[in-house]
Amino acid sequence: MQPEVQQRKKAESFSCTIYCEALVINDPDFQHEDLNFLSRSQRYEQAIRKSSLMVMKLREYGIADPEEIYWFKRTCLGNFPEPFGLHFSMFQKTIESQATDAQKKKWLPLVRGIIGTYAQTEMGHGTHLRGLETTATYDPATQEFILNSPTVTSIKWWPGGLGKTSNHAIVLAQLYTQGQCKGLHAFIVPIRQLGTHEPLPGITVGDIGPKFGYDEMDNGYLKMDNFRIPRENMLMKYAQVEPDGTYVKPLSDKLTYGTMVFIRSLIVGDSARSLSRACTIAIRYSAVRHQSELKPGEPEPQILDYQTQQYKLFPLLATAYAFHFVGAYIKDTYRRISGDINEGDLSELPELHALTAGLKAFTSWTANAGIEECRMACGGHGYSRCSGIPDIYVTFTPSCTYEGENTVMMLQTARFLVKSYNQVAAGQRVSGMVSYLNDLSRQRIQPQHVAARTVSVRINDPVSLVEAYKARAARLVEAAAKNLQAELNHRKSKEDAWNRTSVDLVRASEVHCHYVIVKLFTAKLSEISNAAVRAVMTELCLLYTLYGISKNAGDFMQAGILTDAQITQVNQRVKELLAIIRPNAVALVDSFDFHDTHLGSVLGRYDGNVYENMFEWAKKSPLNKTEVHESFHKHLKPMQAKL
Amino acid sequence: QDKYAQGFGLGSVNPDLASERQTASFSVERLTTVLDGGAEHTRVRRAVVEAIERDPVFSRENQYFQTQNERYEAAVRKAVHLQKKMHEMGWREDGPEFIYIYRALAGDVAFLLHRVFMRSISVLGSDEQVAKWIPLATKHQLIGSYAQTELGHGTYLQGLETTAVFDTTTQEFILNTPKISAMKWWPGDMGRSATHTVVFAQLYVHGKCYGVHPFIVQIRSLRDHSLCPGITAGDIGPKMNFEHIDNGYLMLQNVRIPRENMLNKFCEVQPDGTYVRRGSQKINYFTMTTLRVSLLSDEVILPLMKACTIAIRYSAVRRQSKLNPGEEEAKILDYQTQQEKLLPQLAAAYAFHFINNYLHKLFDRGYKEIQERNFSSLPELHASSSGFKAMLSQYCTAGVEICLRACGGHGYSLLSGLPSLYTKILASCIYEGENTILLLQTARFLIKCFAAASAGQPVPQSVTYLAAVKPGKCPAKNKLDFLNPDIYVEAYQHTAIRLLSSTAAKLQDLIQSGVKKHEAWNQCTVQLVQAAKAHCHYITVKNFVETVEKLENKAGIQKIMKHLCDLYALHGIFSNAGLFLHDGYISGAQMDMITASYLDLLGVIRKDAVPLVDAFDFTDKSLNSALGSYDGNVYQRLYEWAQKSPTNQQISPAYEKYLRPLLHNKLSKL
């Protein structure tokens, strides 16, 4: 089997998924039991069982590429989080990117014999990394770092796999040497005894308790009291502490952001997949569910025939496709740019950082709301865990917060947009996705009224609609930048002015991202060679684009990009597209190609046999274990007897 | 661990929260009494809450760690204990305390459907039926449920498939579940607890179908709780929330019940099979209609108030990043983006509290009329309950989720209390009528009224504005004009009328061009939903304005409520800009003024944010949140609660069974 895996190494992600799925779905060790009926401890235990197996299989199959590991994991664990997750995505990866060659030589072979996690977030600080309070003080006498959690807020809180599973952690701490604070650095810290798994002296570690989803994950806390580690446990590829305590500065502090950019780019793809799963369930179920009458005297129609139902689901279907293409784009861009970075070229890093931050926030917010919309479109049954959507939701929704809180992400993108705007204002040209800002300066030279900017938008032409989104982005980025400037003119503090403009700035980032997505989706159309596929994708692209205009009509009208008559046309066209897409709706979700095992939904089954399987599923509920529940004997019977 | 408690121990209020309370511009206590509807109500409510919370049987302390079975058992235990408690305290079902009991229990109690069971008998049953069943139910000699929804049908009642066939020879109804989709599915208390239930079924007499009617059916033995012959029933399995409720399924196979078990105040089958109707058929749905209104306060508005309390207090304690160099890290509540998330939710919570009062008045009046068999107000009541239930549940659900996510990572911990608030409230978008369908029912009423108003005929009071179509432009000249309620109420009214009239015109056009009526309706449903929402939004804004005008101008109450009212109204315009800009009633320049006024208001209300949530007067126990408690000792509490987690107390077999072999296997290969 191994040579076959080797061959696949360079395969694209889609075939990679299919391949990993085939490996796992046919493997009896990974058969899914229904997790909905298990307690949290049982789910944790099952996850550990599968994770352990998975690690063995990864080695057996010789899978080592991060992308392939990612797919293999997804498939083994059926999209549920797993306690070993951070071992691969953060522990190992951080050592690979931030350790010296000597450190790599020591730790990478060990990585196979220990379980590691990545302890960054603290109780009191998350996205604002500089505020972290954990300290690592260098002691030249013993050549050790002394790690401490000086306050209750400094306790490491949330890292996955930390509570019960891991025996090592990469801890981010403020480095103190020679009496000075040198900022955040990463340290490899053993936390549990190899062999007994007991916490080491000076370490307090445990599980942070139940959460919204993530039942199988032992998110943990970690408190350190004068815990000593050898000097060599600081990751020193960039910054170094010499034996005498002399601190050597890194060349660029931007490099450490690489891992985060990578994870954020994965979240964009996750948004697409999670939304696709929810759409698959909701659309298949809507084709099976019959309700009410459309025409008097006729049988009840499929609820998918109602305009309101189409209006809920089809724009989300179009969004899922849009995000797939964006996810693929951003992954390719990351690969390309990270190649440059390894060769020392950091010039594209700011744009990549800004783009992944904003798109991570935009896509996760949208997908999050979309999953909920899909659940509600399934009526009451969507609320049952058998629909599978509650699990998709709780597993996905934290991505709005982890790896960078979304509002903060949007503001980072805004910082880049304002910077680019200012460059243009100073007469420089900017490149990449923000190059539309260059046009603003040209317009300013020509003394024409803003309203005259009205592009003659053709509402059936995706390319023309991209121009409309571009004009909207330009207008709102400019408005935010000008408001910021006005605040700066009034106040001394830059931070205060920024804060007073932040609602505008977030908005500017949103419309920039929206433009990028519309642009990428539209560009994708010409790459599709099959005419029938291109036709249906063009319909979806139009729906995505026009629906976005309809929902944000205020922006387009206020900027004079579209007239109210055009908005009325757009609204009408959206409804026509719903009817056009209707016959292909089920085929479009079938194309996502989720296996029933992977979808984990009674409502979304490929065969559509919903009701009989709901009944079968319910019979397994823990409350149904006995015909008369013990509460009857304990509480009900005494109550009735007394009265 | 001791050093963490120093100067930060539980008991003393976190200085970050204490400082917020020193600068309140109004009297918190007085606002609380306004919300309660008078000082006497406040007193009674607090007495009930205290009595419940002091009783250890009602404790929710370990709720977040419990399994479905444990939650169910606790809910039953509490329900049984509650009977004793009420007796002990002298609380009566018709007494002033009763409405606060459920609130004090935070809904964590079984037998809620028992009350719906009783209510449907009181409303739909004859005097004899009431005399027979209500005393039994009051004494809990039986436990009732309400079985309407089926696997295949929910909101569309006419589609229900359960049958009740009248057998003249034995004077019985024979109930059946003819196919799998006809199985009753979802009714609360039915999976494990109920002995009886009201079953909604299609009535057949002599082969003719008379539509859906309610029947009292016994499903479990009163002696040993085993299922009655012909009954299959059980729990429907885990859901997003409501672990404590045994939502159930029910299958009926030739179950025979006496003729007297059909609830027959309005419809009756006589011994020879003659079907008699008295009064309107619509009355069968009146139980549902009143339920929609009665659930708003406890199930929809209070959860939003709680979520706001937790998120706003936490945002005053959480410090993150620096606003000004050299200063300490800022409270996240000082960030404009955080204010923009939370303060509109706070304003909405107040707006909805007041619209709820309005609806209760409307219903109290309507209920009296119906008791006197005057059904003329039913359409308006039905349209109002549908529209507002849909609008409020949808908005509040979104609002609670915003609060959850505004608390960063810690919001996702169950210990924050927010995930449970969210998963519970979101069911309200579906139960008692799916929101989209409800809005379409409101729209149908509005379309009728619009036609009547245009023809100069009289219409119900809440829609008289539809006759006042006047084209024009918003007269505001600067951003301060938008703090004038006349200006924004007019804008809302204009938009509501525009959306309704343009949809009515389109409907008319389609029909005139030859499209069949039902098809034309389906083609307009997206717009109809929008029009119904705009109507409810307008009434809510208008009612908020009128409420503020009537408030006492003392202790700063009216002033702060006016700010909240302005914020609620302007946030609505800001978030739906396209609707207001569409026909040019509001210009682009005016929209910029609205945005400016709206953002200014965030800064104004920021100063009173904590006192405004304090005024909701939730005890720490009722919030059950490590982030939202009154003293603001967030981190200490989070750490202490986490240690109580069973995962930290039980030894997991995972290490010995899986981790150890894994590690050893690998170590041996090194």
Side-chain angles (χ1 to χ4, degrees):
Chain A
M1 200 172 284
Q2 272 192 347
E4 205 186 331
V5 177
Q6 297 298 339
Q7 266 182 17
R8 295 266 175 178
K9 283 263 151 108
K10 284 173 192 144
E12 278 307 302
S13 68
F14 199 60
S15 57
C16 178
T17 330
I18 293 170
Y19 177 67
C20 289
E21 267 193 15
L23 279 184
V24 173
I25 288 167
N26 298 325
D27 189 332
D29 287 339
F30 287 113
Q31 290 316 305
H32 274 273
E33 59 290 309
D34 200 319
L35 299 171
N36 285 301
F37 302 123
L38 303 183
S39 73
R40 194 174 158 231
S41 290
Q42 289 167 320
R43 284 177 81 145
Y44 169 69
E45 194 187 324
Q46 283 304 313
I48 289 288
R49 183 183 73 82
K50 281 200 246 174
S51 292
S52 303
L53 262 169
M54 183 193 72
V55 172
M56 309 266 203
K57 303 260 174 184
L58 281 174
R59 272 202 287 155
E60 189 186 319
Y61 298 149
I63 296 174
D65 177 73
E67 178 97 22
E68 281 182 8
I69 290 178
Y70 179 81
W71 283 113
F72 192 79
K73 271 171 46 183
R74 286 258 120 175
T75 321
C76 293
L77 304 162
N79 269 18
F80 284 102
E82 58 124 358
F84 289 4
L86 294 182
H87 178 73
F88 295 105
S89 65
M90 295 301 282
F91 185 75
Q92 189 175 334
K93 215 170 156 57
T94 306
I95 291 176
E96 280 166 3
S97 64
Q98 295 187 39
T100 61
D101 289 343
Q103 286 176 318
K104 281 187 205 165
K105 219 170 175 181
K106 175 182 175 189
W107 288 100
L108 285 180
L110 281 173
V111 158
R112 312 181 87 199
I114 60 183
I115 304 165
T117 183
Y118 185 83
Q120 175 176 297
T121 302
E122 295 172 0
M123 213 193 269
H125 285 92
T127 305
H128 179 62
L129 291 185
R130 275 166 297 162
L132 295 179
E133 299 173 276
T134 302
T135 58
T137 309
Y138 185 63
D139 176 2
T142 60
Q143 304 221 1
E144 288 173 321
F145 291 103
I146 309 163
L147 285 138
N148 268 301
S149 309
T151 59
V152 72
T153 45
S154 73
I155 298 174
K156 294 291 177 188
W157 199 267
W158 281 109
L162 175 65
K164 299 272 131 187
T165 312
S166 300
N167 52 26
H168 281 68
I170 288 179
V171 170
L172 264 79
Q174 303 286 357
L175 166 66
Y176 283 85
T177 183
Q178 297 174 338
Q180 278 185 314
C181 180
K182 299 293 180 186
L184 278 186
H185 290 77
F187 302 85
I188 301 178
V189 181
I191 55 174
R192 289 178 186 271
Q193 190 75 51
L194 296 179
T196 66
H197 214 55
E198 292 290 330
L200 294 166
I203 297 286
T204 309
V205 63
D207 175 81
I208 63 162
K211 298 140 302 198
F212 199 25
Y214 278 71
D215 277 355
E216 34 282 288
M217 179 70 99
D218 54 323
N219 296 82
Y221 58 77
L222 171 67
K223 188 157 86 74
M224 292 168 292
D225 293 295
N226 289 318
F227 188 75
R228 288 176 172 260
I229 54 169
R231 187 184 66 92
E232 296 76 28
N233 279 24
M234 174 175 144
L235 293 175
M236 299 213 217
K237 182 171 177 183
Y238 301 110
Q240 285 160 24
V241 173
E242 292 176 347
D244 68 349
T246 306
Y247 179 74
V248 184
K249 261 208 283 198
L251 287 171
S252 164
D253 55 355
K254 280 178 187 149
L255 286 161
T256 48
Y257 292 119
T259 319
M260 275 226 152
V261 170
F262 171 70
I263 300 279
R264 282 173 198 161
S265 72
L266 288 181
I267 292 175
V268 176
D270 260 358
S271 304
R273 271 182 301 282
S274 301
L275 184 57
S276 307
R277 277 153 51 92
C279 282
T280 304
I281 296 166
I283 288 179
R284 285 187 184 155
Y285 176 65
S286 298
V288 169
R289 178 93 172 169
H290 289 257
Q291 205 72 184
S292 196
E293 321 185 297
L294 260 176
K295 298 175 191 169
E298 287 193 9
E300 296 178 74
Q302 295 161 297
I303 58 174
L304 199 53
D305 286 333
Y306 288 94
Q307 191 188 53
T308 45
Q309 188 76 352
Q310 295 168 0
Y311 191 68
K312 283 178 199 171
L313 295 177
F314 295 169
L316 293 173
L317 177 64
T319 306
Y321 273 94
F323 290 1
H324 270 287
F325 298 134
V326 174
Y329 168 85
I330 199 160
K331 206 173 62 198
D332 292 344
T333 312
Y334 172 75
R335 276 194 183 150
R336 184 174 56 76
I337 296 183
S338 59
D340 297 343
I341 292 170
N342 286 339
E343 282 154 30
D345 176 5
L346 301 179
S347 61
E348 284 191 85
L349 198 59
E351 169 153 27
L352 177 67
H353 184 247
L355 195 64
T356 48
L359 286 175
K360 179 261 177 188
F362 189 97
T363 57
S364 62
W365 263 336
T366 310
N368 187 73
I371 294 164
E372 277 299 75
E373 188 78 25
C374 286
R375 185 185 56 70
M376 279 193 258
C378 294
H381 297 331
Y383 193 75
S384 167
R385 300 277 283 268
C386 79
S387 76
I389 306 184
D391 272 324
I392 298 176
Y393 176 73
V394 296
T395 307
F396 179 73
T397 189
S399 62
C400 293
T401 305
Y402 62 56
E403 306 307 336
E405 198 278 327
N406 277 357
T407 301
V408 180
M409 292 298 96
M410 282 299 191
L411 287 170
Q412 286 184 4
T413 304
R415 211 171 277 280
F416 177 76
L417 293 173
V418 169
K419 204 172 150 194
S420 303
Y421 176 84
N422 289 339
Q423 281 172 345
V424 171
Q428 294 168 311
R429 285 188 69 77
V430 291
S431 60
M433 287 290 181
V434 288
S435 53
Y436 60 83
L437 293 173
N438 293 327
D439 302 341
L440 282 172
S441 60
R442 227 176 301 137
Q443 276 161 359
R444 215 169 294 119
I445 299 164
Q446 290 153 10
Q448 55 178 216
H449 193 258
V450 188
R453 248 189 244 168
T454 312
V455 240
S456 56
V457 179
R458 296 175 305 281
I459 66 160
N460 280 315
D461 176 6
V463 177
S464 170
L465 293 170
V466 173
E467 291 302 309
Y469 274 84
K470 188 197 265 188
R472 168 183 176 233
R475 190 242 171 207
L476 286 172
V477 170
E478 180 172 44
K482 281 185 172 165
N483 288 350
L484 179 63
Q485 193 52 53
E487 289 289 344
L488 281 171
N489 296 343
H490 283 108
R491 270 162 253 278
K492 270 185 236 142
S493 155
K494 260 202 308 205
E495 288 78 4
D496 199 18
W498 181 264
N499 187 32
R500 281 166 185 274
T501 322
S502 52
V503 168
D504 295 336
L505 290 162
V506 168
R507 193 86 191 101
S509 291
E510 280 172 348
V511 301
H512 172 71
C513 292
H514 208 170
Y515 154 69
V516 170
I517 293 166
V518 166
K519 181 182 157 81
L520 293 174
F521 198 169
T522 305
K524 189 77 200 168
L525 298 176
S526 58
E527 294 173 24
I528 303 170
S529 51
N530 179 304
V533 174
R534 191 170 60 242
V536 74
M537 283 299 127
T538 305
E539 286 154 15
L540 281 180
C541 179
L542 268 176
L543 179 64
Y544 179 76
T545 310
L546 293 173
Y547 181 81
I549 293 177
S550 174
K551 282 277 142 186
N552 298 286
D555 289 350
F556 290 91
M557 282 192 281
Q558 213 185 343
I561 302 163
L562 293 165
T563 64
D564 59 347
Q566 282 176 308
I567 294 289
T568 305
Q569 275 176 30
V570 167
N571 292 340
Q572 185 55 31
R573 187 70 187 134
V574 165
K575 283 178 275 175
E576 287 164 16
L577 283 164
L578 298 178
I580 292 169
I581 290 163
R582 167 67 185 89
N584 283 324
V586 172
L588 281 165
V589 296
D590 285 352
S591 304
F592 292 137
D593 201 29
F594 292 113
H595 195 279
D596 273 353
T597 334
H598 196 202
L599 207 51
S601 165
V602 180
L603 300 190
R605 295 168 60 96
Y606 186 79
D607 67 11
N609 294 325
V610 169
Y611 296 131
E612 40 284 60
N613 283 293
M614 279 179 79
F615 189 34
E616 289 308 311
W617 182 87
K619 285 184 198 161
K620 291 184 256 169
S621 170
L623 275 182
N624 290 333
K625 288 246 162 74
T626 52
E627 189 178 276
V628 176
H629 195 268
E630 57 179 334
S631 301
F632 171 73
H633 302 289
K634 277 164 86 173
H635 307 294
L636 295 178
K637 205 169 174 181
M639 171 178 79
Q640 287 166 347
K642 248 182 255 169
L643 288 159
Chain B
Q1 191 185 321
D2 282 341
K3 71 174 179 181
Y4 295 115
Q6 283 168 16
F8 203 60
L10 298 180
S12 63
V13 174
N14 186 323
D16 279 342
L17 215 40
S19 64
E20 297 284 338
R21 294 182 172 120
Q22 279 158 11
T23 52
S25 77
F26 63 93
S27 156
V28 170
E29 181 64 17
R30 201 179 277 260
L31 182 53
T32 300
T33 61
V34 168
L35 289 171
D36 281 323
E40 176 58 13
H41 287 117
T42 303
R43 192 192 61 74
V44 173
R45 178 177 55 75
R46 284 178 180 163
V48 171
V49 168
E50 206 208 321
I52 297 272
E53 288 184 351
R54 271 174 45 175
D55 190 328
V57 177
F58 296 121
S59 165
R60 294 195 293 139
E61 194 185 327
N62 289 313
Q63 183 176 303
Y64 299 128
F65 305 127
Q66 289 172 337
T67 65
Q68 194 191 359
N69 260 319
E70 290 165 339
R71 289 288 306 277
Y72 167 67
E73 195 197 317
V76 171
R77 189 175 63 231
K78 288 180 191 178
V80 170
H81 186 67
L82 181 61
Q83 300 311 312
K84 212 176 111 194
K85 190 87 193 172
M86 288 184 60
H87 184 74
E88 195 183 294
M89 301 295 297
W91 296 338
R92 290 156 41 100
E93 298 238 344
D94 54 2
E97 295 89 0
F98 193 73
I99 54 165
Y100 300 121
I101 294 174
Y102 180 81
R103 175 174 179 175
L105 292 167
D108 196 40
V109 61
F111 310 160
L112 297 176
L113 269 286
H114 185 69
R115 299 207 56 225
V116 180
F117 173 83
M118 289 174 69
R119 189 160 188 165
S120 30
I121 294 176
S122 315
V123 176
L124 303 173
S126 64
D127 294 346
E128 301 84 66
Q129 286 173 325
V130 171
K132 176 178 173 185
W133 293 101
I134 295 297
L136 288 172
T138 309
K139 283 186 264 169
H140 282 85
Q141 282 172 339
L142 57 84
I143 297 164
S145 175
Y146 180 89
Q148 178 176 297
T149 302
E150 295 173 359
L151 201 38
H153 285 90
T155 305
Y156 179 64
L157 292 185
Q158 292 101 301
L160 295 179
E161 298 172 290
T162 304
T163 58
V165 179
F166 187 60
D167 177 358
T168 37
T169 55
T170 61
Q171 296 286 303
E172 288 172 319
F173 293 104
I174 309 163
L175 279 90
N176 267 299
T177 304
K179 54 197 219 195
I180 192 142
S181 57
M183 205 185 327
K184 295 292 175 189
W185 199 270
W186 281 109
D189 295 331
M190 198 173 75
R192 308 302 316 184
S193 305
T195 60
H196 288 68
T197 184
V198 172
V199 170
F200 282 78
Q202 302 285 356
L203 168 66
Y204 285 87
V205 186
H206 297 318
K208 188 180 168 199
C209 181
Y210 289 90
V212 174
H213 289 73
F215 303 86
I216 298 176
V217 180
Q218 181 173 353
I219 58 171
R220 285 191 176 89
S221 155
L222 288 173
R223 193 172 40 81
D224 63 5
H225 216 62
S226 61
L227 293 171
C228 294
I231 301 285
T232 309
D235 174 79
I236 63 161
K239 301 138 293 191
M240 287 190 91
N241 195 316
F242 292 91
E243 295 100 329
H244 62 296
I245 299 290
D246 52 322
N247 296 83
Y249 58 79
L250 170 70
M251 232 195 302
L252 303 146
Q253 279 160 309
N254 291 317
V255 174
R256 289 178 166 263
I257 56 167
R259 189 180 64 89
E260 297 74 28
N261 277 25
M262 177 172 132
L263 291 175
N264 61 13
K265 183 171 186 178
F266 299 99
C267 307
E268 191 183 10
V269 176
Q270 292 179 338
D272 65 350
T274 310
Y275 179 83
V276 184
R277 178 176 296 168
R278 317 180 188 99
S280 166
Q281 170 85 352
K282 281 176 190 153
I283 194 62
N284 278 357
Y285 307 129
F286 188 69
T287 314
M288 197 71 160
T289 302
T290 49
L291 247 182
R292 276 181 202 134
V293 173
S294 61
L295 67 84
L296 286 178
S297 172
D298 284 340
E299 303 295 345
V300 176
I301 303 168
L302 280 180
L304 180 62
M305 289 174 168
K306 284 185 182 178
C308 286
T309 306
I310 296 167
I312 288 177
R313 285 183 184 162
Y314 176 63
S315 298
V317 169
R318 177 86 171 175
R319 288 177 175 272
Q320 205 74 185
S321 201
K322 290 176 185 177
L323 261 177
N324 290 306
E327 288 182 4
E328 66 176 324
E329 291 183 73
K331 293 175 175 181
I332 58 174
L333 194 53
D334 286 325
Y335 289 93
Q336 192 188 47
T337 46
Q338 186 76 353
Q339 294 164 9
E340 213 247 341
K341 286 176 194 172
L342 296 178
L343 302 183
Q345 314 315 320
L346 179 63
Y350 276 93
F352 295 161
H353 175 84
F354 296 129
I355 198 70
N356 185 48
N357 290 347
Y358 160 91
L359 287 169
H360 275 273
K361 271 182 219 142
L362 196 70
F363 267 75
D364 288 346
R365 205 167 51 218
Y367 191 72
K368 278 189 204 112
E369 291 173 12
I370 284 162
Q371 289 300 302
E372 293 152 12
R373 294 185 183 265
N374 168 5
F375 299 111
S376 63
S377 60
L378 256 181
E380 187 187 11
L381 292 180
H382 183 71
S384 304
S385 76
S386 304
F388 284 104
K389 183 266 179 184
M391 181 181 98
L392 266 62
S393 59
Q394 196 173 344
Y395 190 96
C396 292
T397 298
V400 171
E401 201 197 14
I402 290 170
C403 291
L404 187 155
R405 266 193 266 137
C407 291
H410 296 327
Y412 294 99
S413 169
L414 290 198
L415 308 181
S416 76
L418 291 164
S420 332
L421 284 173
Y422 178 64
T423 51
K424 195 164 179 213
I425 192 180
L426 56 79
S428 70
C429 295
I430 308 283
Y431 61 58
E432 313 312 339
E434 195 276 331
N435 280 353
T436 302
I437 316 251
L438 293 184
L439 287 167
L440 286 172
Q441 290 177 3
T442 307
R444 204 175 279 278
F445 168 79
L446 292 173
I447 289 282
K448 269 189 201 157
C449 293
F450 182 72
S454 310
Q457 290 158 3
V459 289
Q461 196 262 328
S462 63
V463 287
T464 46
Y465 75 95
L466 292 176
V469 193
K470 38 186 174 190
K473 303 272 176 212
C474 173
K477 301 228 160 29
N478 56 54
K479 69 175 183 177
L480 293 179
D481 286 346
F482 283 103
L483 301 180
N484 175 355
D486 293 343
I487 297 273
Y488 57 69
V489 168
E490 187 80 27
Y492 273 94
Q493 188 191 82
H494 177 89
T495 304
I497 296 175
R498 177 182 70 74
L499 286 168
L500 192 63
S501 65
S502 67
T503 312
K506 191 182 159 201
L507 207 51
Q508 199 59 39
D509 286 353
L510 283 170
I511 291 167
Q512 272 169 9
S513 70
V515 179
K516 291 205 178 96
K517 222 171 157 182
H518 51 82
E519 182 52 37
W521 181 263
N522 191 31
Q523 283 184 30
C524 293
T525 43
V526 168
Q527 280 161 284
L528 286 161
V529 165
Q530 206 174 36
K533 277 190 206 165
H535 164 76
C536 295
H537 206 162
Y538 159 62
I539 301 285
T540 308
V541 169
K542 185 164 156 261
N543 180 66
F544 202 163
V545 169
E546 286 166 0
T547 306
V548 172
E549 280 166 3
K550 279 181 245 153
L551 284 175
E552 51 180 338
N553 189 14
K554 268 185 253 163
I557 303 287
Q558 196 182 38
K559 192 170 164 218
I560 185 70
M561 286 298 114
K562 165 75 166 59
H563 288 320
L564 280 179
C565 180
D566 292 346
L567 182 71
Y568 178 73
L570 297 187
H571 174 256
I573 301 177
F574 173 79
S575 323
N576 298 285
L579 295 182
F580 291 87
L581 288 165
H582 191 92
D583 60 349
Y585 182 79
I586 296 229
S587 69
Q590 284 173 326
M591 195 53 79
D592 286 339
M593 297 170 199
I594 288 167
T595 306
S597 267
Y598 162 63
L599 294 177
D600 288 347
L601 279 166
L602 294 179
V604 172
I605 293 165
R606 155 68 187 92
K607 301 189 189 91
D608 281 317
V610 169
L612 280 167
V613 296
D614 284 352
F616 294 143
D617 202 29
F618 291 114
T619 60
D620 283 354
K621 281 186 178 161
S622 80
L623 291 173
N624 207 13
S625 163
L627 302 188
S629 51
Y630 187 83
D631 66 13
N633 291 326
V634 168
Y635 299 116
Q636 182 71 13
R637 198 168 266 110
L638 205 50
Y639 189 44
E640 282 181 10
W641 287 16
Q643 314 208 18
K644 287 192 270 178
S645 171
T647 40
N648 288 328
Q649 304 193 340
Q650 301 154 357
I651 295 163
S652 169
Y655 176 70
E656 287 299 328
K657 276 162 87 176
Y658 306 112
L659 291 179
R660 209 167 136 97
L662 174 80
L663 292 168
H664 280 247
N665 175 19
K666 287 178 156 180
L667 288 169
S668 65
K669 287 197 180 177
L670 268 176

